[in-house]
Amino acid sequence: MDKLLPMSRPTIMDVARKCGVSKTTVSVILNDSPASARVPVETRDRIRAAAEELGYRPSWRGRVLASQKTHMIGVIYAPPMPLIVRGNYEGIMAGIHQVLQEQGYHILFVPLGEDTAHWAGILQDQRMDGALVLSRFQEPLASTLMRVRMPFCLVNADSDLPVHRVLADDYGGSAELVRHLCDLGHERITFLLGKQPGHYSITRRVEAYRDVMRARGHERFVSVLEETVPQFVDRIAAEPARERPTAVITYQHFMATHLLQKLWDAGMRVPDDLSVGSFGNTFPVEHTIPPLSSVALPTEEMGRAAARLVMQQIQSAEAIEPRRVVLQETLTVRRSTAAPPAEG
Amino acid sequence: MDKLLPMSRPTIMDVARKCGVSKTTVSVILNDSPASARVPVETRDRIRAAAEELGYRPSWRGRVLASQKTHMIGVIYAPPMPLIVRGNYEGIMAGIHQVLQEQGYHILFVPLGEDTAHWAGILQDQRMDGALVLSRFQEPLASTLMRVRMPFCLVNADSDLPVHRVLADDYGGSAELVRHLCDLGHERITFLLGKQPGHYSITRRVEAYRDVMRARGHERFVSVLEETVPQFVDRIAAEPARERPTAVITYQHFMATHLLQKLWDAGMRVPDDLSVGSFGNTFPVEHTIPPLSSVALPTEEMGRAAARLVMQQIQSAEAIEPRRVVLQETLTVRRSTAAPPAEG
DNA sequence: CTGAAAGCGCTTACAG
DNA sequence: CTGAAAGCGCTTACAG
C-alpha cells in the first residue's frame, strides 16, 4: 500500500520551493495554461516530477475560489421524484452524465424540498456553474434561476418563458401508437391516464389520442380515465365483453406492467382479448408477459442535448438565443398489441 | 419576477459596510457561531436585515476554502454500474441521500473509470469530506482512500481490511429462501446464478443454498448454473418433466423477471410446474406474473447506516474503531412459489 | 462586546 | 522567459 500523505498536504508552495520557481510557474505548468508554452521544457519536466514526487494535487478548494468555477452542474428536480429515478429519467441522467463527464463536470443533485429558502440558497451560493431542470419548471424556481443569472436548460419540461428546453415529441409518439392500434382494427381504444401530476406530456399525449380517434371516425369511443389500474380492471371485468375496450393505452410503463398483471389475474388475455400499449422503453418492457408494445422517448439524447446547451452557455461569452429542442419518439411494436377479438 | 442580482454579487464586505460592523461580526452572526451570543440582539437584527435586503448569501466558494470543508460526500462505484442504478441501489441511494440531506451534505458521484489517475486525482483534491464505496472495494481504490486519509464506509461490499462496512446478511436471506422451498416439498432446487461479476453476496448466497440443501438431504440435487436465462429455459424445456428442477432461485430480480417471461413463452406455468424465488425487492417484483417471492435486502437502512458511519468519522475528533454492520434480509412470499407438481 | 489581521490555496493580469 | 503581487470571499484564533 502506498505511503500515507503527510497530515498536512503539500501545497503549490512546496512544489515551487522544491523547484526553485514561483507559484505562478507551477500553476501555469500544471494547468497547461497558454503561458506554459514559454517555459523551457526542462523546467516543465522538473516541476512535473516534483509534483509527482511530493504527491501534490492542486486543491480543488483553492482552485474554486481563485478561478470562480466549480465545474459542478445542478440537476434540479421536484420531489416526490426519488433521488434515483426510474423509467425515462434513467436515460436522461445517463445522457447528462455522459456529456458532463466528457467535459470534466460533475452532477450536483438539488431536490426542491418544502423549504424554499434552503434550496434557493443553494442556487445562489455559487456552488454550481449551471443547472438542468427536470420535468417541471415553475415558480419560485423560475424567478430564482433568472435572478441568480445561472445558465440552465429544462429537460422534459416546457415553459412559456424564453428559456432553453429539450422535449420529447409526445404528440407525435402518442399519435403513432393510436394509429398503430387503429390499423390493427381497434375502435374501442381507451386511454388509462390514472392520477398524474401536471406534466406537459399528459396534455400532448391525450390530445394526439383524441385527434387520431376523431380522424379515424372513432370519436364516440374516446375515453380518458383517471381510475387506478385495479379500479379499471375490476370495472371492465364486470362489463359484457362486447362493451369493453379492445385496446388500452396507459400513460407510462409502470402502469402498463401493473395492468398486464391485473388483467392476467382477472383472466383476460393480452393481446387476444385486449391490446395494451404504453410509453417508455426501460426495463421491464421487454420482459413483461407479453412483451410490451411501447413508445420510446429518446431519453439519452434528451439528456445529452440539454447538457450540451448548458455547457455552451457556460463556455460562450455572450448570451445564446434560447432554443426549444424537440426530439422524436419511436414506437416499438412487441407482443402486447394485436388485432381485436373477432366478435369485437 | 424578482429583480436580478447585480452582475457582481454582494460580498460579506458589502453587508459589513452597510451595517458599520466588521466582516467578522457579519460572519459570526450569519453562521450562528457560538460567538454570536455576545453580539447584542439589535446588531444581529440589523445585520440579518441588511443581508436580506442586499440579497446576500455567503459564497460557498469562499467558505469552502476558509472552512476546509465542502460538505460533499463521494459515492464511489465501479462501472459498468450505470449512474442511475436500479434494484438494490435505489434503496441504498435513497437511504444515503436521506441521512446526508438531514445533515446538509451533498452527494458527489465518482465513477471509477479506466483512467485511474483521473479518479484518484478527484479523491485527492479535497473536494469531498468523506466517501461511500458501493459494491466493490479493491485496489487501487483501497490504497488511494487510505493514502488521502478520507473517512469512508463500504456499502454492500466486504473487505479483509479494517474498514467500516455495511452488509446484508446474504447467507441468512438465501438460507431462508431455500428453507421455504424445502418446506413446500421441493427437492430438485436449482440455483441459476448467471454470469455475475465477483461480489461477496454470490458466495454467501450459494453457500447457504448448498448448506440447506445438504441439511435437508437434497445434496444430490445441488446445481449452481452460470447459464443465461434463455439457455436455461431452452435446456429444461427439452428435458423430461420428471428430471427438471421443480424450483429455481435466481441471483437477482432482473433475472427472475426474465425467467418468468421465458417460462411463460415455453409453456411452463409458475408456480404450478415450477416455483421461482429470487433476491431483491424493487419494482417490478410485485407486478410480475405471478408476483415474485423474493428476499428483500434492507437497502434503505444499509444506506442510512453507512452514511451515518461516515458522518460520525467526519464529526468525531479521534479515529473510530472500524465497524462491520450486518443487516437482516427478509423473505416475502408472494405467488411464484408453491408446492411442486404432484408427480414431481 | 467588537475588529484587525492572518490565512485557506489557488489563478491571473501585469511588470520586468 | 519568470515572478511579485493582488485577489478570489470567506473563517477564526487572537487581541483589545
Side-chain angles (χ1 to χ4, degrees), chain A residues 214-260:
Chain A
R214 189 177 308 122
R216 297 295 179 104
H218 310 324
E219 191 162 6
R220 67 191 179 288
F221 297 123
V222 164
S223 161
V224 178
L225 304 174
E226 300 197 353
E227 292 168 306
T228 65
V229 165
Q231 283 167 348
F232 171 74
V233 173
D234 287 350
R235 189 170 55 69
I236 67 167
E239 288 174 357
R242 45 177 301 119
E243 291 178 13
R244 288 179 197 155
T246 61
V248 184
I249 297 171
T250 61
Y251 175 64
Q252 26 90 326
H253 81 295
F254 297 103
M255 289 178 66
T257 304
H258 196 181
L259 177 61
L260 291 176

Side-chain angles (χ1 to χ4, degrees), chain A residues 92-214:
Chain A
I92 290 176
M93 289 304 304
I96 291 172
H97 186 241
Q98 184 197 320
V99 170
L100 296 191
Q101 178 150 276
E102 282 166 11
Q103 312 234 10
Y105 277 70
H106 281 258
I107 289 171
L108 187 76
F109 283 106
V110 184
L112 263 29
E114 296 284 299
D115 185 350
T116 303
H118 176 71
W119 59 255
I122 290 172
L123 296 181
Q124 282 175 71
D125 72 8
Q126 308 271 80
R127 82 173 74 191
M128 41 203 166
D129 300 341
L132 289 151
V133 179
L134 302 188
S135 286
R136 217 172 304 278
F137 183 64
Q138 55 200 12
E139 293 303 342
L141 175 61
S143 51
T144 303
L145 280 174
M146 305 301 239
R147 189 156 49 82
V148 301
R149 301 167 179 277
M150 189 188 296
F152 68 95
C153 179
L154 317 186
V155 200
N156 201 21
D158 208 349
S159 171
D160 294 330
L161 300 172
V163 296
H164 293 275
R165 51 210 190 275
V166 176
L167 311 167
D169 179 17
D170 284 292
Y171 185 95
S174 179
E176 192 181 352
L177 177 56
V178 181
R179 266 187 241 111
H180 161 67
L181 291 168
C182 291
D183 290 348
L184 287 169
H186 291 274
E187 301 186 342
R188 296 205 303 278
I189 305 170
T190 288
F191 199 117
L192 181 56
L193 184 60
K195 287 280 176 218
Q196 300 300 337
H199 187 266
Y200 79 97
S201 63
I202 296 169
T203 320
R204 311 271 164 92
R205 288 178 188 172
V206 168
E207 202 179 331
Y209 161 71
R210 287 185 202 282
D211 289 353
V212 174
M213 289 293 275
R214 189 177 308 122

Side-chain angles (χ1 to χ4, degrees), chain A residues 66-84:
Chain A
S67 71
Q68 303 286 66
K69 289 188 175 136
T70 62
H71 290 260
M72 297 207 297
I73 301 293
V75 168
I76 302 175
Y77 60 93
M81 196 159 93
L83 170 71
I84 296 305

Side-chain angles (χ1 to χ4, degrees), chain B residues 192 227-238 258-259 262-266 268:
Chain B
L192 181 55
E227 292 169 305
T228 65
V229 166
Q231 283 167 349
F232 172 74
V233 173
D234 288 350
R235 189 171 55 71
I236 67 167
H258 196 181
L259 177 61
K262 287 296 171 195
L263 289 171
W264 165 79
D265 247 348
M268 280 179 270

